[in-house]
Amino acid sequence: MSLALIAALPFLGALTPALTQRFGRSIATLTVALFTAAALALILNHLPAIIVGDTVTTQINWLPALGLNANFRLDGLALLFALLILGIGLLIQAYACFYLDKTEPYARFLTYLMLFQGAMLGIVLSDNILLLLVFWELTSLSSFLLIGFWSHLPQARQGARMALATTGAGGLAMIAGLMILGHIVGSYDLSTILTQKTAIQTSPLYLPALILILLGAFTKSAQFPFHFWLPHAMAAPTPVSAYLHSATMVKAGLFLLARLWPVLSGTPEWFWIVTSAGLITMAFAAKVALFKDDLKAILAYSTVSHLGLITFLLGLGTKAAATAAIFHILCHATFKAALFMLAGIVDHATHTRDIRALGGLRRAMPITFGLATIATLSMAGIPPLNGFLSKEMMLEEAAHTAPWVIPVLATLAALLSVAYSLRFLTYTFLGPIPAYSHSPHDPTPGLWLPPAILAALVVAIGAAPMPLAGWLVDAATSATTGEPIHAHIALWHGLETPALWMSLAAIGGALVTLGLYPALRRVWDATPKPQAKVIFDASLTALTHTAHTFTAKLHNGSLSRAFAAAVLTILTLGLYAYQSAESLPGSRALAAIAATPAVGFALMITAALAATALHRKRLLALLLVGIVGLILSASFAYLSAPDLALTQITVEVVTVALMLLALNFLPKITPHETPRLRKLRDASLAIGTGIATAALAYALMMREAIFPPISAFHLAQSLPGAGGHNAVNTIIVDFRGYDTYGEIIVLGIAALLIFALTESLLGTKWATRPDQSAGDAGDPHPIMLQTATRLILPMAMLVGCYLFLRGHNQPGGGFVAGLVFAIGFVLQYIASGQDWAAARRRIPYHAMIGAGVLVASFTGVGSFLAGRPFLTSNYTHIHLPPLQDFELATAALFDLGVFLCVLGAVMLALDALARLAKPQTAKDAC
Amino acid sequence: MSQLLILPVILPAILAGAIILIARNTLNAQRAISILGTIALLALAITLIQAPTQSYFLGNWPAPFGIALVLDRLSALMLLLTATLALIVLIHTIRTGWDTKGRHFHALYLFQLMGLNGAFLTGDAFNLFVFFEVLLIASYGLMVHGGGEARIRAGVQYVAFNLLGSTLFLFALATIYSTTGTLNMADLAQKLPQIPANDTALIRVAAVLLMLVFAVKAALVPLQFWLPGTYANAPGPIAALFAVMTKVGAYALIRFGTLVFPTDLPATNTLLASLLYPAALATIAVGALGTFGTRSLPRQIAFAAIGSMGTLLLAVSAFTPQATAAALYYTLHSTLATAALFLIADLTRCRRDGMTAALYMAAAIAMAGMPPLSGFVGKLLILDALRGDAIAWAAILIASLLTMIGLARTGSDLFWKSPSTEAPAESKTAILLCLAALATLTIAAGPITSWLTLTAEALHAPTAYIAANHLGGTK
Amino acid sequence: MSRLFPHPMLSATLFLAWLLLAGSTAINSLLMAALLATLIPLATQAYWPSRPKIRHPLRLISYIALVLYDVIIANIQVARIILFMPADQIKSAWITVPVDLPCPEAIALLAGTITLTPGTLTAEFSADNKALLIHALHAPDPDATRAEIKSRYESRLQRIFR
Amino acid sequence: MLTYALTFAIACFALALILNLIRLATAPTMPDRILTVDTMVINVIALIVLYGVQTHSTVVFDAALLLAMTGFISTIAFCKFLLRGGIIE
Amino acid sequence: MNLTIELLISALLIIGGSFGLIGSFGLLKLREPMQRLHAPTKATTVGVGASLIAAALTLLWQTGAASWQGVMVAVFLFLTAPLSGLMLAKAHRHLSRPDLPPTGTKAPWAGETPPKP
Amino acid sequence: MEILIAIAIGTLTACGLYLMLRARTFPVILGLSLLSYAVNLFIFISGRIKLNAPPIIGEGSQYTDPLPQALVLTAIVISFGMTAVLVIMALGAYLTAGHDRVDTDADPEDQA
Ligand code: NA
Ligand code: NA
């Protein structure tokens, strides 16, 4: 539990600044520092156990199904990193408190910083690689926020995005790599994985896993060629650079290499990939650092170089090299964090970071100069500082590694390291004083104390490595290698160590290099260099552009193309599904073709084709489609489907009215605008699908169902079970009344939608006014029409009642009845106008819909009273002398709901559309 | 048989009917009914999720002759997801006043919930069509709520495209009925294995057509064209609610793919899986490239939604219990994450302060599948379930990266580049609730996934589902 | 009574129509017919605000019989024109018929009669409803056609409607 | 005899439909086309009634009734469209 | 008796069919649009009317049950045909603008285009 | 008869699809109407064809399959509602945009 608490503490701390910021920066800083310190204290609490080689673990089951568990472990390696993260974290918090300007959103900064701290701590404490991934990605995210902290600066935004893209990409590769690792082992728990060296290294998936994991580690630790993001991350405030980009986050990759060292290292693949990446990075970045003029850029490339050094050491795969690597992690964190802080101080004091504009600060800023000297010389690997010790160990390892190019490159890197360090120091602090805009001076202790503490460590560790750092290096290295290690760190190993001579050569070479610097600089400046940022930007821009173009071209807003794609897909896959299986030939006896239906179908087909061919003349096309509807209705009557005929006839009338209402506004002609090729494409798709549909229909009609259809039950139960002769109607109101329930709601919603949209249209200024020039005849309401419709309305209602009442036994029903009523009322609208008809409406159409839904619902709910499910029907025969007995069925009540809903919906929709035709009048609420 | 099963469908319908009948001109009453109704639905869903698999025989007609509702773990889960999302979105809508920008918002909203719940509960293929239509037409209404040129024009495309889908649905259902003589899904599950091996072509056609319908709803490439315009132009909260609409398609694909057309069915075999797999990959690609290459936030979220559907359906296409469980987890996650992003996008129209930025960050993290939120967990679950499939892994991971970069770019442009505008503080309650739900998904991932694992196992061995069909309807 | 039956003729028509539709004169049908014949006119009276006064309902029936007879006769005449008369010999004409009828219902009835009898067709009303524009398919003597309409139909209608 | 007469009548109305189709194709004006469709409706009503006679069933008479009651509405709506643009004013 | 009824029905059917055909034939044959308007009245009245009577008689004769719905069909056709005729005539006139005789009253024809304000 | 119906279904489908592929809203609406006619017929024939056998119990000795008819009824009603919705939306689009093209811009905010 305590480890989980430790991991959680920084996150809890991240919550506090929002609450404490009102009390001022100091309080806010102290509060978060308290959390960091508490975590540190809890870590130190475990120190004695760790030093003797124990491992502290905590297990919390989080997602056992996946193997993602909140398992934490604290061993020597974790301890080393935890101390760096929390210790330097405390210093950074103090430094930042004084560093950031008063106008900056400091609370947010602290929150981000603590989020990062938590993520980083999480990485090193994770005992589950999936959990580690969680924290790993969190560091990418929180560093994105920190780099982009000065969000008003374009380079900050860009640097943040670059870091996120690069480390994010690596992180995703690492997810794959670590998951493969987990799959090889069968567990995602580090404790298990670390014991499975043989299984992992003999697995065919070892190499892919290795490469993917290394991608993650190298991007995070800015190894060549993924180093480019780090210098751009320097757009972050200096405390961030000091913390993330020197001491902690960039070391996460190294941590991972170290963490997995026992199971991944020792193979040729590991050796070659890791050492070459490290060595190249070390030498290459050192060279670049030599030619940079920005203080932070020099430090950034130096960081890259030192990370390369450590990577190189880890790649060697020997315990001694691992020891050196661990030790250098510690040393580098101390001097580099200090240097970043000092660079920040110089920046603050002089308002520049360009070393060509700096100089002579040793007098103006003696404290800074002193601290910088210590840290820089350590960076250069000058004895007796700690940097020297670890560099010696590195050179010693390099010297014993074949081929020769390795020690040579290592020495060269050391040489360059000395050179840029000296250049950094001398250009900034020595030489003449240039004209500063205002006189620079040492900062308040708040700013210089944190680097001073680190500098003290640099000196102390250099002076007494074994008592001060030996135990820590031992513990960490033991944890890394999985075997007890007792390092021997000393200033002097005797004259026969190659490292000594390599160091001397490096220092000497560096002095020569610095002497030749102007010449070298001219060569450098004249050499064309691939600018990583330019390449990155260009490729990202190209990728963005490609993605954008692709998306815009694909989703170009063309509905026709969307349709075409859909139709093609449906057709192709349908045909494929058919082609790829067998089918028995149909054997049903077919019905004979009578002449009259043949004429009818011919008429329908002709009308459909004509409507398609003549679709540009919209009114004509509508008329032709009307013919199709007419023949279809008649066909239903002919094909023993009288209910369908009734429905189709009435729906047709209302649809035509609706379309004409709309066509009143719309253009009457469709322009010629599609190219011939498009028409050809459309025609082929349409014809192909038509043929396929016809074939499918024919195939279905040719054969009986494989199983007896369930409708046999409906036919058998229609009368005894549902109390109606009309099996279609009993299905609609009873067997499948629930479908009908949904269907009337669809209709109701349609009406509400039309009403709502009309309302919103009435409230807006239209781009287009209806073109009324076409129909300018007088006499909007012919008297004969008015008079006749007065008779037709009651007659229609009578017919409606007739169809409603007999629906259960004969064709008809609530739906048709509702439509017939609606048609009667629509006629009033047509004959006498919207004003006239709407003024005579007694019941609001809305209410009819609502009432319809409620009547249908409560009819259904009524069966609850009998403990029966929704919509359970009941019917009874009433004997009331002298009347003949008649049937009362709950289905009729349900049908009444249908009736009301249909009537209300049709009328509401038409009324709304009619109101649209005269937007000048005030809205009349329904 | 518990009457509770029908309530998720008829309760919203009755409330909507009541709104139209008596409360259509009083906004406060509408809001009260709407909120209370949604809370009731949430309570119902919580009750039902603990219930065993059972059927509800409408009209008391026995299956397969009447229509049966079937409540199983999956449908209960979808009910819960819908109710949760609905409540969140409704709160946002009321607090931002979106419901005053047009008529009938609340009635349409309740009908929308009715349609969704009905689709999740039904055990009848044709009834599924009916409730698809209910939920679609309500969504049309909500989509154009408030009007405006761009929205209405996008609405036209949305409606037209879905009408094509609905027509296809009918073709498929007719083919199924014609060949098998039944519409009940459990009945189909029992009958299809008995189809003679030499006469499977027609049912295969039907299966493919049916799955294509669901693919339209799920925005599977190349049937995704309707989505970006619709989601980007819909009112913010409605776009958020629509996050669950694509899941209806996913739900139906899972339901039919495991119950009616499982991979061990001789007639269809792995036909559907093998079609779904490349389509899902293409969907991931289209979604990721769209998220990466688009600059307007709502559109970008729409593409991210497409991408997440691809990821989800990639998992579905494996048709293994483990992958299905992962897909279900991802369903919950991507619904809430998409919704959160849309709600935030709605907020950013007038407000881009630090708090909004933080909310955006959290939602974007979830959407991109970055830790610590559920997107990461979901992604890991799917990767784990698809182990050994390098293409799938690469697709998911690269898409995740592209989504992350795209959302980061938009976020930094939106919150860093353009100064935060001062506007009246709008409520963030709904967004916080949504993120809290995502956090819950993450923290409680253990119990949730073990529940989902059982759900997936039940889906792949649907004996309880089928058995529930034979237990009632005595009329 | 007039409040219960705002349009007695309508009620009668509906009563009869129901029996025709139901195809039965059983007690149930009669009751339902009576119910609907009462309720529907009440429900729709707002849509038929005026109340035409019919003096002689029986004469209305005989008028309808007359029209039916005329329809058959005229049909035969027009059939001959269509089938056998060369197109260029057909002398169509527009004829104005001044009318003097008390209510719109009567005017509509006249106009309908004219259209239903083949060969003539009501094409328009004057804005003040005092004249009908009639199109005659073949009217060598328009005045005669006008006179026949006035004497055969209009005068009868004048006597039926007040 | 009845059968022949019935067949004759059905054939007449079917033929009438074909004539309508020809008229539709050659009609010079929109009102002409509307008129033709109006006539088609009447012919279809007749055919439906005669089909009922042929099958001794009154089930289809309702369809004829509805067509007779509602068929003219489309005609009026189309005409009103030509006359006034709006069919409901 | 049977033969008489059969003859009667057959005659009605033949008359109905013929007039229906003549109506559609007239539609095709007549030259002027206004003339064509007269044609379908035949199908409406005698054509369908005779068929309906034939239908009623046949069903009465063959099934013994009278079907009076046909009467309602005829009622609706008679009620609505003048309306179609009027509106079609108006549409014709509006589009072709023939010279009309005066109304003989102070008012113009109702359908004449009102002067633009 | 079956061949005739199949051809009718095929023609209606083809015509409907061709119109749906047009670039203006009105033809698209007409196309959807034709397509819904086609699908209604298609559902109807899924119960196969029986002449003169309406599913009215007691009217005859054999009946056509009533279930597809009930399904068609539902489909007709729903497609009626949907058509109405599409019509009003097309109208709204035309009134607000000033034209009736169905295609929208790829990414309206990119142009801005
Ligand atoms: Na006439
Ligand atoms: Na006449």
Side-chain angles (χ1 to χ4, degrees), chain A residues 192-449:
Chain A
T192 314
I193 292 172
L194 291 179
T195 62
Q196 299 290 319
K197 176 173 183 170
T198 324
I200 291 169
Q201 297 198 349
T202 54
S203 163
L205 291 173
Y206 168 73
L207 188 59
L210 177 68
I211 292 173
L212 289 166
I213 292 169
L214 289 179
L215 275 174
F218 287 176
T219 47
K220 200 74 157 186
S221 288
Q223 294 301 290
F224 182 87
F226 309 113
H227 61 282
F228 53 88
W229 67 267
L230 185 57
H232 292 283
M234 295 302 142
T238 298
V240 174
S241 311
Y243 194 33
L244 273 66
H245 305 128
S246 69
T248 55
M249 186 180 85
V250 288
K251 299 230 170 74
L254 305 178
F255 170 80
L256 191 75
L257 293 182
R259 183 88 280 177
L260 296 173
W261 195 90
V263 289
L264 292 182
S265 75
T267 63
E269 296 93 329
W270 167 276
F271 175 83
W272 285 111
I273 299 173
V274 181
T275 51
S276 13
L279 207 53
I280 293 171
T281 309
M282 174 167 58
F284 164 81
K287 183 193 69 175
V288 178
L290 184 60
F291 298 105
K292 288 288 166 184
D293 297 317
D294 179 14
L295 285 180
K296 281 179 81 175
I298 297 170
L299 293 179
Y301 278 101
S302 155
T303 303
V304 173
S305 174
H306 282 270
L307 295 171
L309 187 160
I310 300 164
T311 304
F312 162 70
L313 286 171
L314 288 170
L316 290 177
T318 65
K319 287 171 202 154
T323 313
I326 295 294
F327 186 45
H328 196 68
I329 288 173
L330 175 63
C331 298
H332 177 254
T334 53
F335 65 71
K336 192 53 69 62
L339 277 174
F340 267 112
M341 292 193 223
L342 294 166
I345 291 172
V346 171
D347 188 11
H348 251 212
T350 63
H351 297 274
T352 181
R353 295 195 320 235
D354 189 332
I355 59 171
R356 288 167 303 183
L358 290 166
L361 288 177
R362 66 183 185 281
R363 296 236 172 77
M365 307 173 71
I367 301 172
T368 313
F369 172 60
L371 296 174
T373 309
I374 295 168
T376 312
L377 292 180
S378 179
M379 172 163 81
I382 307 295
L385 302 167
N386 65 354
F388 169 76
L389 299 175
S390 49
K391 194 179 73 180
E392 285 286 288
M393 290 165 79
M394 179 276 284
L395 289 173
E396 185 67 30
E397 294 306 314
H400 297 297
T401 310
W404 58 268
V405 67
I406 290 177
V408 169
L409 267 179
T411 313
L412 178 66
L415 180 160
L416 291 166
S417 174
V418 176
Y420 69 67
S421 299
L422 292 177
R423 180 166 175 265
F424 176 90
L425 192 65
T426 51
Y427 275 51
T428 310
F429 293 97
L430 304 180
I433 302 176
Y436 294 111
S437 52
H438 46 277
S439 57
H441 53 80
D442 271 326
T444 55
L447 274 180
W448 64 255
L449 263 178

Side-chain angles (χ1 to χ4, degrees), chain B residues 347-370:
Chain B
L347 213 60
T348 59
R349 282 176 305 117
C350 53
R351 199 171 175 80
R352 298 188 197 118
D353 56 349
M355 178 66 175
T356 316
L359 296 174
Y360 173 81
M361 175 91 181
I365 285 170
M367 193 77 212
M370 299 283 281

Side-chain angles (χ1 to χ4, degrees), chain C residues 74 78 111-122 134-135 153, chain E residues 38 41:
Chain C
V78 174
T113 308
I114 292 167
T115 302
L116 281 174
T117 50
T120 51
L121 177 119
T122 307
I134 290 178
H135 186 265
Y153 305 122
Chain E
H38 291 269
T41 338

Side-chain angles (χ1 to χ4, degrees), chain C residues 20-85:
Chain C
L20 289 174
L21 285 173
S24 126
T25 49
I27 178 91
N28 287 12
S29 302
L30 289 171
L31 205 66
M32 187 51 99
L35 190 68
L36 291 173
T38 313
L39 289 183
I40 291 178
L42 281 177
T44 58
Q45 62 177 321
Y47 294 90
W48 195 343
S50 65
R51 297 190 181 179
K53 294 278 188 321
I54 296 169
R55 245 186 302 193
H56 301 290
L58 286 178
R59 281 192 185 163
L60 188 59
I61 292 166
S62 74
Y63 177 81
I64 290 170
L66 173 79
V67 172
L68 286 178
Y69 173 77
D70 287 357
V71 165
I72 294 166
I73 300 302
N75 253 305
I76 296 166
Q77 290 169 356
V78 174
R80 273 166 45 195
I81 296 174
I82 290 175
L83 290 174
F84 307 117
M85 190 177 279

